[in-house]
Amino acid sequence: MIIERHSLVKELPEFKEKIHELKMSDKHFARLFEDYHDIDNAVIRIEEGIENTSDDYLESLKKQRLQLKDQLYSILKNA
């Protein structure tokens, strides 16, 4: 199985510069970005078998990642 990272820049390449700008200038965006990155790393570790957990917990992490991505996208779109 190929494990794919879901970095925000990879997911939203058209906002690459705006992501960098907001990470530097908007503390709320930077915190959401950090949370998104942390959750993505946790999902990867579980999918690679480095950490073991229940399927329900993995699904909850994926849902959190998606919610954060939606919030970040909204901020980027309105910036």
Side-chain angles (χ1 to χ4, degrees), residues 23-67:
K23 279 180 16 184
M24 297 298 157
S25 65
D26 184 327
K27 288 182 182 183
H28 177 66
F29 182 89
R31 180 67 193 155
L32 292 175
F33 180 87
E34 184 178 323
D35 291 347
Y36 178 89
H37 180 73
D38 290 346
I39 289 172
D40 188 48
N41 283 337
V43 169
I44 294 298
R45 290 177 61 81
I46 293 166
E47 289 179 338
E48 289 177 340
I50 296 169
E51 294 181 19
N52 294 319
T53 188
S54 70
D55 289 342
D56 289 339
Y57 182 69
L58 177 59
E59 286 304 311
S60 74
L61 286 177
K62 288 181 177 182
K63 287 177 184 176
Q64 288 176 44
R65 180 176 63 187
L66 182 58
Q67 289 172 343

